[in-house]
């Protein structure tokens, strides 16, 4: 069975679009942190490419695609220029950026799971790498910016869970031999919808039962 049911050119441009949108979030964080243009480019590159680089190194797909296709490398640089000159306008369309980010999350969790499975990993490991592909860049971005990764913060709307849902559905479809262009896009759409619902209704993961934390509670509405 063809592990990549989409036309390769279509898949390539979907990847570029996802990288670009993720890179915008990295560049915007750099602006908020008062980084210079080099710092903006670094955070944009790390956010857009970090998850895919980690996945490719783990599965032995070397050199990673980011180093063999300059389009992957250039997309974050274009995002950096875009944010450098237009960041006030970009901030104002943050809700639209969140929608595109959710779409990138859905596409990347599915693509990461598929690629890991193609390289011989089991279903559980493939799901883990699907999650890493979708969320790894954001974790690296936050670490470099000296912030607690959003993935680990209770006051951020669900991010890992939608990626896990999409990656798990992809793995189950692979296991049943039912993965095709339609079902692949359905898995990506499921992750996309769960993420949008989390943003709309403020869904968050539960914290420890009967916790006694000394960490100061964030102000209401401070979630992503």
């Amino acid at each position: 069975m063809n592990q990549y049911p989409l036309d390769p050119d279509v898949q390539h441009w979907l990847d570029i679009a996802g990288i670009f949108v993720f890179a915008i979030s990295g560049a915007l964080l750099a602006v908020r942190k008062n980084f210079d243009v080099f710092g903006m480019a670094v955070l944009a590159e790390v956010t857009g490419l970090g998850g895919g680089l980690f996945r490719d190194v783990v599965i032995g797909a070397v050199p990673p695609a980011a180093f063999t296709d300059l389009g992957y490398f250039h997309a974050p640089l274009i995002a950096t220029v875009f944010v450098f000159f237009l960041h006030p306008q970009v901030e104002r369309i943050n809700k639209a950026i969140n929608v595109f980010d959710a779409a990138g999350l859905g596409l990347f969790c599915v693509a990461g799971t598929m690629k890991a499975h193609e390289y011989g990993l089991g279903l559980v490991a493939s799901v883990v790498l699907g999650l890493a592909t979708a969320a790894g860049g954001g974790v690296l971005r936050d670490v470099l910016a000296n912030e607690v990764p959003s993935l680990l913060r209770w006051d951020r709307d669900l991010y890992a869970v939608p990626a896990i849902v999409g990656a798990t559905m992809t793995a189950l479809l692979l296991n049943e031999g039912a993965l095709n262009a339609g079902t692949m896009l359905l898995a990506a759409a499921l992750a996309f919808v769960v993420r949008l619902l989390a943003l709309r209704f403020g869904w968050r993961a539960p914290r420890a039962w009967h916790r006694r934390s000394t960490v100061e509670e964030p102000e209401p509405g401070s979630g992503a």
Side-chain angles (χ1 to χ4, degrees), residues 68-123:
T68 59
D69 187 328
L70 287 180
Y72 287 11
F73 184 78
H74 289 155
L77 295 181
I78 296 171
T80 300
V81 173
F82 182 69
V83 172
F84 182 84
F85 288 106
L86 299 173
H87 68 86
Q89 290 83 355
V90 174
E91 292 276 11
R92 284 199 291 269
I93 60 169
N94 191 53
K95 288 185 178 180
I97 295 297
N98 283 336
V99 172
F100 286 110
D101 181 82
L105 177 79
L107 291 169
F108 276 27
C109 71
V110 171
T113 304
M114 290 164 55
K115 189 166 184 178
H117 187 266
E118 181 192 26
Y119 274 75
L121 272 66
L123 295 181

Side-chain angles (χ1 to χ4, degrees), residues 28 39 45 53 58 69 72 79 123 143-144 149 151 153 177 187 213 221-222:
L28 283 174
E45 291 283 356
L53 283 171
V58 169
D69 187 328
Y72 287 11
L123 295 181
V143 169
L144 286 176
L151 197 69
R153 293 181 57 173
S213 175
S222 63

Side-chain angles (χ1 to χ4, degrees), residues 129-146:
L129 284 183
L131 169 62
T133 304
V139 171
L140 292 173
R141 172 202 64 208
D142 292 343
V143 169
L144 286 176
N146 197 31

